[in-house]
Amino acid sequence: MQTILNYIDGELREPNAGEWLDSIEPATATPYARVPDSDNSDVAAAVDAAKRAFPSWSRTPAAERSRILLDIAARIDDQREALARAESIDNGKPISLARTVDVPRAAANFRFFATAILHTESESHRTDDVAINYTLRQPRGVAGLISPWNLPLYLFTWKVAPALATGNTAVAKPSEVTPMTAYLLSEICRDAGLPPGVLNVVHGLGPKVGEAMTLHPDVPTLSFTGGTATGARIGQNAAPLFKKLSLELGGKNPNLVFADADLDDAIETSIRSSFANQGQICLCGSRILVERPIYAEFVRRLVEGANALRIGDPLDDDTGFGALVSAPQLDKVKQYVDIAREEGATIECGGDAPTSLPDRVKSGYFFRPTVISGLGPTSRVNQEEIFGPVVTVAPFDREDEAIDIANSTAYGLSSTVWTQNLSRAHRVADRLAAGTVWVNTWMLRDLRVPFGGTRQSGVGREGGEEALRFFTEPKNVCIQYPLSDS
Ligand code: TXE
């Protein structure tokens, strides 16, 4: 059994109260590590360390901050295999996915923000011949960073990298469900010479550690990715304390396939956008709307593709589809499939656990890729985020109808449109309620673009310039011109 430790003031430490939680490997349903069950006092120590580190780190030249963060990126690359293995054990995802997506993207996050701070521009505004204004963008102090379990290292570094690059110090909490890669990152940061207190990682439960962070008066900035209900709770805590808030929440993303789409491409990508990471990516397209002339063929081939996914031990290089992250998540998925059945839906494929699994993972949290048809847009299965390997398919006849259905949930994170008609692509993209619209692709990411959602998918944007601005406070300096001697 491995032991995961907090990272506070540059040291790896046990939790103050000596309490621990079990970390479960989802593929085997057995504990593989113990993780600190930290409390208020650990959070207080982490915030104190971050406060002490702030004056020096915020004044450290950008080039030096950049050098350290680039060193961290290089070490993530060097340790790719160990990190990918840890993430696969922690999360249940296929190791091939962790190796090709999660870990390289975590390094890319550090590299992107480490270099971005070397190229920022600052604004100045001249007020006629009366005054000149210039805007300073200053780090805000201690940032509180809270991340979820689905892309543990990627989403954790997506917050840590811009916070530190811009000169903030941070207290970060990974999900208690998947703590291992954040722990390994702590070691990497220490070895890279990140000064003590610049990054502090406190492990533990949301209602204890997360809550203490959101209520701490000396954490003026909060960046959160996770469930919508948790986001609402954090908003309630943060508002009276006037904290600056970024909330990246859930999605119920539509995937619109028009009859003129490149069908091979649309089907291949839709299999990925439905079932990558067992459907546990906030950007997964969970409602597939297909124009009627191609509906039957699309569903047949989607089902074929879903059935062909190789379910198995996440640590096996050939596995394409792993375990769900936890027992509660598996139960949630089953409940929604039960609801679909009660509503008279047709389960086109999946709908239950796989029957033949390798011995090592026989007791894991597995559920087959599931395609459901026959449900109307108002069904709970089409309205609520399931966050698992379950997609619905439905035909549509008109573009307007497809857009109305696409926009009919409370969410607005991302959408995908498949068409060869350029006018339609622009027209539909313009009308979809979403922070990101992908046309003829999915999850293609450019770290410079704003990322986030509308409605119940969140508040604020991350990525690129948006993140640099979020983690800094603008200050205008207005100097009157002494243009004449009078
Ligand atoms: O998220 P939580 P969970 C969605 C998805 C999933 C649901 C619940 O629908 O089924 O959220 O997942 C911390 N104060 N997404 O339970 O609980 C918690 O410890 C402060 C979408 O994992 O929101 C963890 O670190 N923090 C999402 C983080 O919040 C609190 C990805 C997220 O946990 C807290 C994951 C509190 N009161 C789940 N309570 C996406 N959009 O990417 C919990 N936390």
Side-chain angles (χ1 to χ4, degrees):
M1 187 99 143
Q2 301 175 62
T3 295
I4 289 171
L5 297 169
N6 288 334
Y7 176 53
I8 297 175
D9 210 5
E11 290 172 1
L12 295 169
R13 292 189 194 167
E14 298 199 351
N16 284 334
E19 300 290 330
W20 301 86
L21 304 162
D22 276 342
S23 238
I24 310 286
E25 179 181 6
T28 59
T30 53
Y32 78 96
R34 57 177 198 155
V35 59
D37 180 8
S38 308
D39 62 21
N40 252 320
S41 69
D42 300 290
V43 173
V47 175
D48 281 350
K51 275 172 67 181
R52 281 195 304 277
F54 179 71
S56 162
W57 181 249
S58 58
R59 282 197 303 270
T60 299
E64 174 62 6
R65 293 200 304 269
S66 175
R67 187 192 65 73
I68 296 173
L69 298 182
L70 286 172
D71 190 358
I72 293 170
R75 287 168 193 265
I76 292 173
D77 281 337
D78 288 347
Q79 296 182 34
R80 183 167 76 151
E81 202 48 36
L83 287 164
R85 190 177 161 80
E87 176 131 335
S88 176
I89 292 173
D90 226 13
N91 174 276
K93 72 179 57 182
I95 190 166
S96 59
L97 186 69
R99 195 185 278 138
T100 54
V101 176
D102 298 78
V103 181
R105 286 190 179 196
N109 288 340
F110 275 103
R111 208 165 275 126
F112 177 84
F113 288 107
T115 49
I117 55 167
L118 303 178
H119 303 277
T120 51
E121 294 180 353
S122 52
E123 307 110 280
S124 82
H125 301 85
R126 179 175 162 163
T127 311
D128 303 319
D129 59 356
V130 178
I132 183 83
N133 298 267
Y134 61 85
T135 307
L136 297 175
R137 294 197 178 268
Q138 299 175 315
R140 305 189 79 245
V142 180
L145 314 174
I146 302 176
S147 59
W149 46 257
N150 57 331
L151 305 167
L153 187 62
Y154 174 37
L155 291 178
F156 192 69
T157 54
W158 179 238
K159 298 183 184 304
V160 169
L164 303 193
T166 45
N168 298 275
T169 54
V171 175
K173 190 195 103 55
S175 169
E176 62 276 22
V177 181
T178 55
M180 184 52 96
T181 47
Y183 170 59
L184 298 176
L185 182 73
S186 307
E187 291 184 330
I188 287 175
C189 289
R190 184 196 55 185
D191 297 348
L194 188 71
V198 171
L199 172 65
N200 304 274
V201 181
V202 184
H203 293 274
L205 300 169
K208 280 167 81 175
V209 174
E211 193 90 357
M213 287 165 65
T214 59
L215 289 170
H216 200 298
D218 295 330
V219 180
T221 313
L222 289 173
S223 176
F224 169 80
T225 301
T228 296
T230 315
R233 167 90 191 150
I234 290 175
Q236 279 170 356
N237 286 345
L241 298 168
F242 306 106
K243 298 190 179 211
K244 194 173 183 185
L245 204 56
S246 167
L247 300 173
E248 294 295 334
L249 311 175
K252 190 71 187 174
N253 310 310
N255 179 359
L256 278 58
V257 188
F258 288 90
D260 64 1
D262 175 332
L263 205 51
D264 292 346
D265 205 7
I267 289 168
E268 193 187 321
T269 307
S270 294
I271 292 165
R272 232 167 23 88
S273 68
S274 303
F275 302 121
N277 206 33
Q278 299 73 250
Q280 301 167 130
I281 301 180
C282 54
L283 304 168
C284 278
S286 51
R287 296 179 293 141
I288 309 182
L289 303 168
V290 188
E291 204 167 359
R292 198 174 298 274
I294 57 164
Y295 177 73
E297 181 183 357
F298 185 95
V299 174
R300 181 179 58 75
R301 291 175 60 186
L302 180 75
V303 165
E304 265 171 32
N307 283 333
L309 286 169
R310 214 184 161 102
I311 308 177
D313 188 338
L315 290 177
D316 183 340
D317 279 342
D318 296 330
T319 293
F321 188 95
L324 271 65
V325 75
S326 64
Q329 199 62 23
L330 177 61
D331 285 345
K332 184 178 170 191
V333 167
K334 286 180 182 167
Q335 276 168 24
Y336 277 101
V337 174
D338 288 346
I339 292 171
R341 287 198 173 100
E342 281 160 22
E343 291 185 359
T346 303
I347 310 295
E348 302 278 352
C349 66
D352 52 17
T355 44
S356 66
L357 284 165
D359 274 351
R360 194 186 87 84
V361 299
K362 269 200 157 31
S363 314
Y365 309 130
F366 288 86
F367 198 83
R368 288 165 62 209
T370 300
V371 176
I372 298 175
S373 65
L375 292 176
T378 57
S379 158
R380 281 184 62 195
V381 179
N382 273 325
Q383 288 290 320
E384 298 171 18
E385 187 184 39
I386 301 175
F387 220 61
V390 178
V391 290
T392 62
V393 283
F396 70 85
D397 295 299
R398 290 175 297 103
E399 184 180 301
D400 272 2
E401 178 196 1
I403 293 170
D404 286 348
I405 297 172
N407 289 343
S408 70
T409 75
Y411 294 101
L413 189 55
S414 70
S415 304
T416 309
V417 180
W418 291 93
T419 179
Q420 298 287 319
N421 178 332
L422 188 60
S423 305
R424 171 183 284 143
H426 287 299
R427 199 168 55 232
V428 174
D430 188 54
R431 291 185 55 197
L432 287 171
T436 298
V437 179
W438 278 295
V439 178
N440 298 334
T441 185
W442 177 71
M443 221 167 105
L444 188 68
R445 295 276 291 118
D446 181 323
L447 300 188
R448 292 169 300 177
V449 306
F451 176 81
T454 61
R455 306 174 173 181
Q456 290 193 18
S457 291
V459 175
R461 290 292 182 276
E462 301 186 345
E465 192 63 30
E466 303 278 345
L468 297 176
R469 289 191 173 221
F470 175 73
F471 284 110
T472 53
E473 188 75 11
K475 178 192 287 177
N476 182 56
V477 180
C478 175
I479 305 180
Q480 188 169 2
Y481 268 141
L483 281 186
S484 75
D485 290 335
S486 58

